[in-house]
Amino acid sequence: MEIRLQEIIYNQQHMRAKHIILTPESDKPTLVFLHEGLGCLEMWKDFPEQLCQASGLNGFVYERIGFGQSAPLGLIPRPIDYLEREGGIILPAVLEQAGIEKPLLIGHSDGGSIALIYAATHPDRPVATITEAAHVFLEDIGIKGITEAGELYRTTDLKEKLEKYHFDNTEKAFMGWYQTWLSPEFKHWNIEQMLPNITCPLLVIQGIDDEYGTQHQVQSIVENSTGPATPLMIPNCAHIPHFQSLDTVKKAMCDFIKHFA
C-alpha cells in the first residue's frame, strides 16, 4: 500500500488530501471518503486504509476547507446551503483535480449529506454511494445534540481535543457547524426534494442510538431515492458506526462494494 499526499486547490484555497494506492493505474472504482461536520484526515484514523485493504480498491480522502490543516473558513455562520455547495460544486472540482473518474462515495454525517447531494446533482458519476448517519432534514434530536455539544465545547476540554486535529481552524470549524445548524433559518433546511434524482445504488447506515438523527433519515433516503437502496440500522451504536460497530460496518460495506469492484 502506498500513501500519496496531494494539495487540492479550490477558489485559491487549499485542501489536504491523500490517495491510498493498492493498485496503480487501476480502472476499478475509487473509494472516496467524505468526513463529518467536525472531521479531517486524521479523525478517520486508519478506517479508510482498512476498508481499502478489505475491498481491494484504491481510496481517496480529503478534508474540506476550514478543517484540519486545510485553508480556514471565511463567513461564520456558514451559508444555509453550504452542504449543497460542497456536494454540487466543490466535490466535483475536487474529484477532477484528483483524477478520480469512478468514485464510490463513503460519507459520514455531513459527508453523507454531501455524498447524497453529489449523487443527486451528478447522477451519472458515482458508481455507488454509502452513507453513515447522513441527514436530509433537521430533527429535534439533532438540535438537542448540537446544543449539548456546544455546552461541552464551552465547559469541558472538548476544544483542546479538537485543537489536536484542527489547530488554528478549531474555533471557526466548531462555530461554523454549531451556529449554522442552530440558526433559525436552518430549521427549514431539507434536501429530500433532491433524493429522487439519485439513481446509483445506496447503502444507508445509521446507529439506532444516533444522538443527532433518527431512523426517519434512513427511511426518507431509501424511500425517496430512485435507485436500489439498502438500509442498515445498527443496534447499540450511536453517531460513528465505523468506530462504534467497526466489524459490522466493514463487513456490510465490503459486501456492498464487491458488486462494483
Side-chain angles (χ1 to χ4, degrees):
M1 177 185 294
E2 176 190 354
I3 303 296
R4 178 165 57 86
L5 301 179
Q6 181 181 9
E7 183 178 67
I8 302 290
I9 304 296
Y10 178 81
N11 198 22
Q12 300 182 322
Q13 294 177 294
H14 76 275
M15 291 178 272
R16 283 198 310 157
K18 71 177 181 180
H19 294 261
I20 304 166
I21 303 171
L22 275 69
T23 308
E25 308 302 327
S26 174
D27 63 351
K28 294 181 178 181
T30 300
L31 305 182
V32 176
F33 295 83
L34 306 169
H35 66 72
E36 63 183 301
L38 292 174
C40 66
L41 290 186
E42 287 77 15
M43 290 181 75
W44 281 108
K45 299 182 181 178
D46 68 343
F47 178 71
E49 287 83 355
Q50 285 192 48
L51 192 61
C52 287
Q53 287 275 31
S55 66
L57 296 181
N58 294 340
F60 175 74
V61 194
Y62 78 101
E63 59 190 17
R64 299 188 293 276
I65 292 169
F67 302 94
Q69 297 178 56
S70 290
L73 280 176
L75 186 66
I76 302 294
R78 305 184 72 173
I80 300 304
D81 65 347
Y82 81 96
L83 290 169
E84 288 91 324
R85 296 184 188 189
E86 290 284 355
I89 301 172
I90 301 177
L91 178 55
V94 169
L95 295 177
E96 182 177 3
Q97 283 192 49
I100 296 172
E101 297 181 355
K102 297 180 180 179
L104 197 161
L105 305 176
I106 301 171
H108 174 223
S109 193
D110 270 23
S113 303
I114 291 166
L116 293 171
I117 291 164
Y118 176 82
T121 55
H122 298 76
D124 59 333
R125 293 298 311 280
V127 173
T129 297
I130 299 172
T131 65
E132 290 185 275
H135 23 257
V136 294
F137 53 88
L138 182 58
E139 296 180 276
D140 288 343
I141 190 175
I143 294 173
K144 180 175 182 290
I146 294 166
T147 301
E148 290 174 353
E151 184 65 19
L152 292 174
Y153 188 79
R154 287 188 293 270
T155 61
T156 71
D157 63 349
L158 176 58
K159 181 177 181 180
E160 287 72 26
K161 289 180 177 178
L162 290 173
E163 284 175 340
K164 296 176 183 178
Y165 297 100
H166 299 292
F167 304 95
D168 292 341
N169 279 331
T170 303
E171 184 73 9
K172 283 188 173 182
F174 186 87
M175 289 302 168
W177 171 73
Y178 175 78
Q179 292 183 9
T180 303
W181 279 79
L182 293 186
S183 66
E185 297 83 2
F186 207 84
K187 288 184 178 180
H188 305 291
W189 176 83
N190 189 308
I191 59 169
E192 289 178 294
Q193 74 282 358
M194 303 178 74
L195 298 177
N197 295 327
I198 300 175
T199 58
C200 71
L202 298 177
L203 173 61
V204 187
I205 300 172
Q206 185 163 313
I208 289 177
D209 301 322
D210 193 325
E211 59 269 44
Y212 295 102
T214 70
Q215 74 275 9
H216 296 300
Q217 304 285 342
V218 172
Q219 290 171 354
S220 179
I221 296 167
V222 170
E223 292 173 3
N224 290 308
S225 58
T226 301
T230 303
L232 176 60
M233 297 295 299
I234 303 177
N236 303 312
C237 177
H239 191 62
I240 314 177
H242 61 272
F243 291 156
Q244 295 158 340
S245 299
L246 173 60
D247 292 342
T248 298
V249 166
K250 191 160 67 170
K251 182 181 186 305
M253 287 188 179
C254 285
D255 287 346
F256 178 77
I257 290 167
K258 69 182 180 183
H259 298 291
F260 314 101

